[in-house]
Amino acid sequence: TDQGIRTTYPINVDGTYSVDANANWSFPIRFIKSSISLNTNVYKSKNINLLNGVQNQIDNWNIGEELNVNFYGSKTIELNLGARISFNDVHYSIGRQQSTQYWNQEYFADADIQLPAGFGVSTEFVFTKNTGYADGFNTDIVLWNAGVSKYLFKNKRGEISFRVYDILNENAGITRNAN
């Protein structure tokens, strides 16, 4: 090939797979009118890429846990608090120095408040912490979204809303893919 030109095309290979398992458990806490949910996820994949005609095997493990606490004790206020954490372990057969382990953590809270005359206010806050990434990508990101709404029609069958996303202007959109 010419210098500076990369050619990419699909080739069928044998031996690739992905397996995903999820377990969810939720139960009420009646005396404080709330519920707790636990969600566990395990993911394993094996991919094969060809790099200059040589097979590069990519093994990826991911395990994650999420905890949610939902408070629904009032007809006018609903509050949700939670945390999500995942660990990723990626190994390459070629370029082993690119093999990596990294963590994603997310802590969140959101609230919906019903006001008189069919109005509502909602807000959500998410703190994301990335560790184990390449330099410059181990970031802490704070997202805050909020909105107001007005229910319309009989039995609140319609809604019009105004929402503002990323009020603090900190979204970085960091994603790591291994394939």
Side-chain angles (χ1 to χ4, degrees), residues 126-176:
V126 180
F127 173 74
T128 303
K129 183 171 189 65
N130 298 311
T131 54
Y133 285 72
D135 289 341
F137 294 96
N138 292 306
T139 58
D140 295 347
I141 301 167
V142 178
L143 290 178
W144 177 32
N145 305 323
V148 295
S149 60
K150 168 71 171 131
Y151 288 108
L152 306 171
F153 311 122
K154 186 177 180 179
N155 296 325
K156 300 180 180 180
R157 293 184 183 255
E159 178 182 11
I160 189 166
S161 64
F162 172 77
R163 294 200 47 85
V164 179
Y165 296 94
D166 193 13
I167 294 169
L168 303 175
N169 195 28
E170 289 197 14
N171 195 6
I174 295 173
T175 302
R176 167 93 190 210

Side-chain angles (χ1 to χ4, degrees), residues 25-102:
W25 186 48
S26 183
F27 57 93
I29 304 176
R30 290 183 179 89
F31 72 94
I32 58 171
K33 297 182 179 178
S34 59
S35 66
I36 291 181
S37 298
L38 295 168
N39 307 299
T40 302
N41 177 266
V42 177
Y43 174 80
K44 167 70 173 131
S45 70
K46 176 181 159 187
N47 291 304
I48 297 173
N49 289 342
L50 295 177
L51 183 62
N52 297 325
V54 179
Q55 278 196 356
N56 182 26
Q57 181 175 310
I58 304 151
D59 292 306
N60 185 13
W61 275 98
N62 173 284
I63 185 165
E65 185 65 33
E66 181 176 343
L67 169 68
N68 284 299
V69 181
N70 182 268
F71 300 95
Y72 52 83
S74 167
K75 289 184 178 183
T76 58
I77 298 174
E78 184 174 327
L79 178 64
N80 185 47
L81 303 171
R84 183 179 303 120
I85 188 168
S86 66
F87 174 73
N88 300 273
D89 188 13
V90 183
H91 293 277
Y92 299 89
S93 62
I94 297 176
R96 293 184 187 272
Q97 70 277 9
Q98 293 181 8
S99 296
T100 187
Q101 295 178 335
Y102 59 96

